[in-house]
Amino acid sequence: GKQFKDFSRGMKMKLGIAAALSHGSKLLLLDEATSGLDPVVRDEVVEMFGDFTRDESHSVLISSHIVSDLEKLCDYVAFLHKGRLLLCEEKDRLLEEYCILRCEAERLKTLDQKNIISKKETPYGAEAVILRSAVPGNADISPVSLEELFVHMVKEERSNVQ
């Protein structure tokens, strides 16, 4: 019995998605569809998009600053920063291609720098986002998330501009 204007932001978003899906849409164009939603509602909305795209004739084009939602939902990722396309790639390939390397700063300097997306050196060692194929044997590596990759790319771009 509530009017639309009295719905919470999450309920308005769910109703909007339901309305879009009720028209038999094949493509959803979404801008910040999950921002401002509480974590439970956000997860439900991401699940709705996932259900929609299980049908291979359906697609979602989504713009979002909530990278964890993109990581759950997207097959392909394009990363724009200040109007420049920094990358456009299949998500799984990106996550397989890059990793985080932790080592001594001196060891990092011996690696081919073109394979390093960004690096951070501290008195305790170095951390870099690097191509997995360039990682030396027995190195301390961990997977990279999309958010870490994006943050490192932006920080590296900033340091190259300065």
Side-chain angles (χ1 to χ4, degrees):
K2 268 188 180 181
Q3 290 189 9
F4 180 78
K5 67 179 178 124
D6 297 327
F7 284 2
S8 68
R9 177 158 164 67
M11 285 305 296
K12 285 179 181 178
M13 181 59 67
K14 286 186 198 178
L15 184 60
I17 294 166
L21 296 176
S22 71
H23 297 348
S25 302
K26 297 286 183 188
L27 173 66
L28 296 179
L29 301 174
L30 307 168
D31 184 26
E32 298 294 346
T34 60
S35 68
L37 301 177
D38 72 66
V40 174
V41 173
R42 214 174 77 227
D43 190 62
E44 290 172 353
V45 168
V46 169
E47 276 185 33
M48 290 171 72
F49 297 148
D51 291 342
F52 176 75
T53 58
R54 276 194 189 77
D55 179 339
E56 291 188 13
S57 67
H58 294 159
S59 295
V60 173
L61 178 64
I62 185 169
S63 167
S64 181
H65 288 91
I66 305 174
V67 182
S68 60
D69 290 349
L70 299 176
E71 200 156 355
K72 291 176 191 171
L73 185 63
C74 297
D75 293 326
Y76 292 86
V77 179
F79 180 49
L80 298 167
H81 179 66
K82 293 188 176 181
R84 285 193 38 231
L85 181 65
L86 296 184
L87 70 82
C88 184
E89 190 70 61
E90 186 177 357
K91 177 193 70 180
D92 290 341
R93 183 167 177 220
L94 275 175
L95 298 177
E96 289 171 11
E97 195 170 316
Y98 295 97
C99 65
I100 296 178
L101 169 68
R102 289 176 189 81
C103 62
E104 302 79 33
E106 289 305 313
R107 185 173 186 193
L108 190 61
K109 290 175 185 169
T110 66
L111 301 176
D112 188 346
Q113 299 300 298
K114 73 176 188 214
N115 295 320
I116 298 172
I117 300 298
S118 76
K119 59 188 171 201
K120 177 174 65 174
E121 294 181 23
T122 70
Y124 306 105
E127 179 179 285
V129 174
I130 185 170
L131 286 170
R132 277 186 194 268
S133 59
V135 174
N138 75 353
D140 179 17
I141 64 169
S142 57
V144 67
S145 68
L146 284 181
E147 186 160 347
E148 288 169 317
L149 183 59
F150 293 170
V151 167
H152 279 269
M153 290 176 80
V154 169
K155 285 183 176 181
E156 185 63 19
E157 183 178 82
R158 282 184 190 161
S159 68
N160 288 337
V161 171
Q162 296 172 353

